[in-house]
C-alpha cells in the first residue's frame, strides 16, 4: 500500500477538541467501544492465474529456444529463490505500512477479596471480615499514527461495578464509567512527516531493489539459457562434422586398400588412412561426451531430469542487425537493473543520512492526557454511561520528557558513517556506469566482429569444400596422393569448425548485448511482476 493510500484512509479519524461537544459524544463512544471491542478481519483472496500449457522435453520433439527459456523462467532454482526474496520484500512493505493501522484493545477483570475477620470498626463491618467484589471492563483504540506529526492518539473507555459489605459505603453496589484520551507527540528528534514515513519509505526502496534484482536474475537466466541452448546446437553440429569426417576417412581407407591390392597404392598409404580413421573415431567419441555435457547443462538450467534427451535444436535463423553503440548504450543506461538498483540503494543511504542528522536533535516528547469520570450510581451500567455528559469529574495532565546523551559521540559517529556510506555508494554508481559503458562497447564490437567473421568463415568453408572435391577427383584419376587428400580433408574440417565457432560466438555476443540492453525480455515476451 502506498503512502498516498494510507493518508487517504487517515481522513476517517479527526481530532475533536475537548469540551462540551466531546462530552456529548462520550456515551456513544463508550457504547461503540463496548460493542466493537473485538477486531474484525477481512480476508481477500485472489485466484491464481491460469498457468501456461506445459512444455514437454523429449527426444522425438523439437525444442525451440523460446520453449527452453520459458521452462527456465518457470522452473529454475535460483529464480525461485529470488522470487521468494521479492515476496519477502513485498511483505516487509506491508509490515511497515501496518504501523499506521488502528489497534483495538479490550480487557475484563473480576476480583473478589474476603478477609477472615475485621480488625477495626471503622471499616463498617461488625462480625465478618471486609469483602470487596469488583468488576471492570476496558476497551480502547490506538488510532492510526498521525503521518504529519508522527504522533499517536489513544482513547479508552471503562465501566466498573464495585460491591462491599461495608456499611460505610454510600452506594452499594456502585457503577462507574470513564473515558480518557492520551496524546504522545515527539517534538524534536522524531517529529514530522519525514520521521513518520522513514521506515515505510525504506521498505519501499528495499522492495524496489528486490524487484530490480529479480529483473537482473531473469536477464541472467535468459542469457545463460541462450548460451546453453546454442552450446547444444554447436556441439551437435560439430558431432555431425566428426561423423562426416569419419565416413570420408573410412571411404578413403577402403579405396587405399583396394588400390594396394591392385598394386597402385602402398602399405604406407593404407596405414596413414587407418590412422586417420582411428583419429576420427576418437574425436567422434570425445564429441559425443561433449554433446551429453552440453545437453545436461541445458537441462539443469531449465530444471528437467537429466536422463531426458532434448529433441532437435537449431540456431536462430533471424538476421542479426548491425548494432549501434549510441542506441545500445542509451537502452542499457535506461534499463540496466544493477545501475537502477544502485540508485535505489543510494536513496536508502540518503534516507539513513537524513535520519542520522535528525538523531542529533534531543529527545523531547509531549504526553497529554484528558479524562472524564461519570458520577457513580446504583442504577446499573446504562445509568453510569448516561451520567457521563452532564454529571462527571475530570482530570488532565501534561508532561514533557527530555533526554540528550552527553557529547552525543555515538550519534555523531553514526552521522559520519552514514555520510561515508553515501559517498561510497556514489563512487560505486560511477564505477557501475563506467563498467556498463565498457561492457556495452565490448558487446557491440563483439557482434560487429563476429558478423564479419561468420561471413568470411562461410566463404572459407565453401572454398575448402571445393578444394577437397577437386583433390579427391584428382586422386580418383590417379593424379594425386592419399596424403594430399587427407590434408585437404583436415583443412575442410578446420574451416567447418571455424565457421561453427564464429556462429556460436555471434549468438553469444548478441545474447550478451540483449542482456545489457534489456531487449531480451521483449524478444522472448517475458513479463516481470509489478
Amino acid at each position: 500500500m502506498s503512502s498516498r493510500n494510507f493518508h487517504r484512509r487517515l481522513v476517517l479519524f479527526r481530532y475533536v477538541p475537548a469540551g462540551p461537544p466531546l462530552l456529548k459524544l462520550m456515551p456513544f463512544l463508550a457504547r461503540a467501544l463496548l460493542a466493537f471491542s473485538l477486531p474484525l478481519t477481512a480476508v481477500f483472496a485472489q485466484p491464481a492465474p491460469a498457468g501456461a500449457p506445459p512444455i514437454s522435453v523429449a527426444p522425438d520433439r523439437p525444442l525451440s529456444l523460446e520453449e527452453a527459456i520459458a521452462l527456465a523462467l518457470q522452473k529454475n532454482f535460483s529464480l525461485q529463490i529470488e522470487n521468494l526474496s521479492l515476496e519477502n520484500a513485498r511483505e516487509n512493505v506491508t509490515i511497515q505500512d501496518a504501523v499506521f493501522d488502528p489497534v483495538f484493545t479490550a480487557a475484563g477483570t473480576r476480583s473478589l477479596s474476603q478477609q477472615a475477620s475485621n480488625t477495626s470498626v471503622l471499616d463498617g463491618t461488625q462480625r465478618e471480615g471486609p469483602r470487596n467484589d469488583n468488576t471492570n471492563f476496558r476497551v480502547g483504540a490506538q488510532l492510526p499514527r498521525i503521518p504529519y506529526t508522527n504522533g499517536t492518539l489513544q482513547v479508552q473507555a471503562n465501566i466498573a461495578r464495585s460491591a462491599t459489605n461495608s456499611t460505610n459505603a454510600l452506594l452499594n453496589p456502585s457503577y462507574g464509567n470513564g473515558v480518557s484520551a492520551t496524546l504522545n507527540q515527539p517534538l524534536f528528534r522524531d517529529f514530522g512527516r519525514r520521521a513518520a514515513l522513514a521506515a515505510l519509505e525504506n521498505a519501499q526502496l528495499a522492495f524496489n531493489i528486490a524487484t530490480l534484482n529479480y529483473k537482473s536474475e531473469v536477464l541472467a537466466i535468459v542469457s545463460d539459457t541462450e548460451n546453453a541452448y546454442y552450446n547444444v546446437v554447436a556441439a551437435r553440429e560439430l558431432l555431425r562434422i566428426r561423423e562426416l569426417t569419419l565416413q570420408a576417412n573410412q571411404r578413403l581407407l577402403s579405396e587405399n586398400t583396394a588400390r594396394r591390392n591392385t598394386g597402385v597404392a602402398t602399405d604406407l598409404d593404407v596405414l596413414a588412412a587407418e590412422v586417420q580413421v582411428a583419429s576420427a573415431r576418437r574425436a567422434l567419441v570425445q564429441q559425443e561426451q561433449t554433446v551429453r555435457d552440453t545437453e545436461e547443462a541445458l537441462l539443469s538450467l531449465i530444471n528437467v531430469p537429466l536422463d531426458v534427451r532434448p529433441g532437435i535444436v537449431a540456431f536462430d535463423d533471424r538476421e542479426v542487425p548491425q548494432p549501434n553503440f549510441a542506441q545500445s548504450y542509451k537502452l542499457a543506461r535506461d534499463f540496466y537493473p544493477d545501475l537502477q538498483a544502485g540508485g535505489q540503494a543510494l536513496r536508502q543511504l540518503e534516507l539513513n543520512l537524513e535520519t542520522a542528522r535528525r538523531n542529533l536533535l534531543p529527545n523531547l516528547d509531549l504526553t497529554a492526557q484528558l479524562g472524564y469520570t461519570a458520577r457513580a450510581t446504583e442504577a446499573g451500567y446504562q445509568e453510569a454511561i448516561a451520567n457521563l455528559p452532564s454529571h462527571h469529574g475530570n482530570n488532565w495532565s501534561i508532561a514533557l520528557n527530555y533526554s540528550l546523551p552527553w557529547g552525543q559521540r555515538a550519534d555523531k559517529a553514526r552521522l559520519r558513517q552514514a555520510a561515508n556510506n553515501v559517498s561510497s555508494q556514489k563512487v560505486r554508481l560511477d564505477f557501475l556506469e563506467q563498467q556498463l559503458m565498457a561492457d556495452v562497447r565490448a558487446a557491440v564490437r563483439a557482434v560487429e566482429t563476429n558478423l564479419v567473421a561468420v561471413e568470411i568463415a562461410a566463404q572459407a568453408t565453401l572454398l575448402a569444400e571445393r578444394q577437397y572435391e577437386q583433390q579427391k577427383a584428382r586422386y580418383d584419376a590417379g593424379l594425386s596422393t592419399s596424403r594430399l587428400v587427407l590434408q585437404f580433408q583436415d583443412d575442410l574440417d578446420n574451416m567447418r569448425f571455424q565457421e561453427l565457432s564464429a556462429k556460436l560466438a555471434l549468438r553469444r555476443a548478441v545474447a550478451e548485448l540483449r542482456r545489457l540492453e534489456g531487449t531480451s525480455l521483449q524478444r522472448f515476451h517475458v513479463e516481470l511482476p509489478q
Side-chain angles (χ1 to χ4, degrees):
M1 181 183 299
S2 66
S3 59
R4 180 178 303 172
N5 291 336
F6 63 72
H7 292 163
R8 186 178 300 115
R9 186 180 62 196
L10 291 176
V11 175
L12 296 175
F13 301 92
R14 295 186 181 276
Y15 171 71
V16 180
L22 179 61
L23 295 178
K24 293 179 181 179
L25 294 176
M26 289 304 180
F28 304 100
L29 177 61
R31 291 189 180 96
L33 290 175
L34 286 172
F36 299 102
S37 58
L38 295 177
L40 301 178
T41 304
V43 179
F44 299 92
Q46 297 181 353
I55 301 173
S56 60
V57 178
D60 57 346
R61 183 184 181 280
L63 179 66
S64 67
L65 175 59
E66 289 77 6
E67 291 175 335
I69 290 176
L71 283 173
L73 295 179
Q74 292 174 11
K75 305 174 66 176
N76 183 267
F77 288 121
S78 61
L79 197 58
Q80 294 179 33
I81 295 173
E82 198 66 41
N83 184 59
L84 292 175
S85 300
L86 177 62
E87 290 302 317
N88 284 339
R90 189 195 309 274
E91 296 301 331
N92 192 42
V93 175
T94 303
I95 291 171
Q96 297 301 329
D97 187 34
V99 173
F100 295 89
D101 293 341
V103 178
F104 297 95
T105 60
T109 304
R110 175 70 186 274
S111 64
L112 177 65
S113 173
Q114 174 67 66
Q115 296 185 13
S117 62
N118 62 339
T119 57
S120 172
V121 297
L122 296 178
D123 56 13
T125 60
Q126 299 298 325
R127 295 182 179 180
E128 60 181 1
R131 177 187 177 89
N132 295 296
D133 185 355
N134 298 316
T135 303
N136 187 280
F137 294 99
R138 295 189 307 274
V139 292
Q142 178 174 312
L143 302 185
R145 183 182 296 273
I146 306 171
Y148 299 102
T149 64
N150 199 27
T152 59
L153 179 62
Q154 184 174 6
V155 294
Q156 182 173 294
N158 70 84
I159 55 175
R161 176 188 180 278
S162 61
T164 180
N165 62 353
S166 173
T167 59
N168 293 335
L170 296 179
L171 300 175
N172 194 15
S174 174
Y175 294 88
N177 178 36
V179 294
S180 64
T182 304
L183 173 68
N184 292 299
Q185 177 60 61
L187 298 180
F188 281 159
R189 173 175 292 189
D190 296 324
F191 174 80
R193 178 185 179 88
R194 298 297 300 168
L197 301 180
L200 179 59
E201 186 176 353
N202 202 311
Q204 184 64 52
L205 290 170
F207 172 70
N208 294 342
I209 292 174
T211 302
L212 292 168
N213 289 338
Y214 181 82
K215 183 187 296 184
S216 178
E217 186 66 23
V218 168
L219 289 170
I221 292 298
V222 171
S223 178
D224 292 344
T225 305
E226 281 191 86
N227 288 329
Y229 183 89
Y230 291 141
N231 287 340
V232 175
V233 177
R236 289 184 176 182
E237 180 63 20
L238 186 56
L239 178 64
R240 187 185 69 83
I241 294 174
R242 299 301 188 196
E243 290 174 347
L244 293 176
T245 301
L246 177 60
Q247 293 171 6
N249 289 337
Q250 287 174 338
R251 287 195 300 270
L252 183 61
L253 175 60
S254 299
E255 292 174 2
N256 284 351
T257 302
R259 285 170 177 264
R260 184 188 61 180
N261 294 336
T262 59
V264 178
T266 65
D267 292 340
L268 184 60
D269 294 329
V270 174
L271 179 60
E274 289 176 346
V275 172
Q276 287 295 110
V277 169
S279 298
R281 186 176 291 112
R282 180 189 61 185
L284 180 64
V285 172
Q286 292 175 341
Q287 189 58 34
E288 287 176 348
Q289 177 187 358
T290 302
V291 169
R292 289 298 295 155
D293 291 342
T294 56
E295 288 177 350
E296 291 184 359
L298 176 62
L299 295 174
S300 297
L301 270 176
I302 64 179
N303 195 10
V304 173
L306 299 182
D307 56 349
V308 177
R309 299 202 67 173
I312 298 175
V313 294
F315 280 128
D316 187 359
D317 293 332
R318 298 183 185 184
E319 183 179 356
V320 178
Q322 192 73 21
N324 179 274
F325 169 74
Q327 180 181 359
S328 296
Y329 180 68
K330 183 180 184 305
L331 288 172
R333 184 69 178 78
D334 296 339
F335 184 85
Y336 194 54
D338 292 350
L339 194 61
Q340 293 183 354
Q344 295 292 310
L346 176 61
R347 182 70 190 94
Q348 269 189 323
L349 294 174
E350 289 174 345
L351 195 63
N352 295 339
L353 178 60
E354 182 181 340
T355 301
R357 289 197 183 105
R358 192 168 53 246
N359 287 341
L360 289 179
L361 298 174
N363 270 321
L364 181 61
D365 298 334
L366 168 67
T367 302
Q369 185 175 18
L370 174 64
Y372 293 93
T373 305
R375 185 179 65 182
T377 180
E378 290 180 312
Y381 291 114
Q382 294 295 333
E383 181 68 19
I385 295 175
N387 286 342
L388 188 59
S390 56
H391 302 88
H392 62 269
N394 62 78
N395 61 83
W396 61 269
S397 66
I398 295 179
L400 289 174
N401 300 314
Y402 177 88
S403 67
L404 182 67
W406 182 265
Q408 293 186 288
R409 292 195 302 161
D411 292 333
K412 292 177 181 178
R414 294 188 186 98
L415 177 61
R416 291 191 295 269
Q417 285 181 335
N420 291 337
N421 291 336
V422 170
S423 300
S424 175
Q425 184 63 21
K426 288 180 178 179
V427 173
R428 188 175 292 109
L429 275 177
D430 292 339
F431 172 74
L432 283 174
E433 290 185 4
Q434 183 187 62
Q435 188 64 42
L436 178 62
M437 178 180 289
D439 291 342
V440 172
R441 293 174 69 90
V444 169
R445 281 197 302 268
V447 173
E448 293 173 341
T449 300
N450 286 290
L451 280 172
V452 177
V454 168
E455 182 179 355
I456 295 176
Q459 295 176 356
T461 300
L462 180 61
L463 175 61
E465 288 177 351
R466 292 180 178 178
Q467 289 177 337
Y468 170 74
E469 292 171 357
Q470 181 183 24
Q471 194 66 30
K472 184 65 170 59
R474 289 173 57 83
Y475 175 75
D476 294 339
L479 301 177
S480 182
T481 63
S482 61
R483 184 179 65 82
L484 291 177
V485 174
L486 292 175
Q487 180 179 348
F488 279 94
Q489 175 66 45
D490 290 340
D491 293 342
L492 175 59
D493 291 343
N494 290 333
M495 291 301 103
R496 285 173 173 171
F497 177 74
Q498 290 181 17
E499 181 182 7
L500 181 61
S501 298
K503 290 180 179 180
L504 179 60
L506 176 61
R507 266 65 181 186
R508 287 175 174 174
V510 171
E512 175 64 12
L513 184 59
R514 285 174 179 166
R515 183 187 72 84
L516 294 172
E517 295 175 344
T519 55
S520 57
L521 300 182
Q522 291 80 17
R523 163 68 177 82
F524 298 106
H525 310 289
V526 178
E527 296 183 1
L528 296 176
Q530 299 299 323

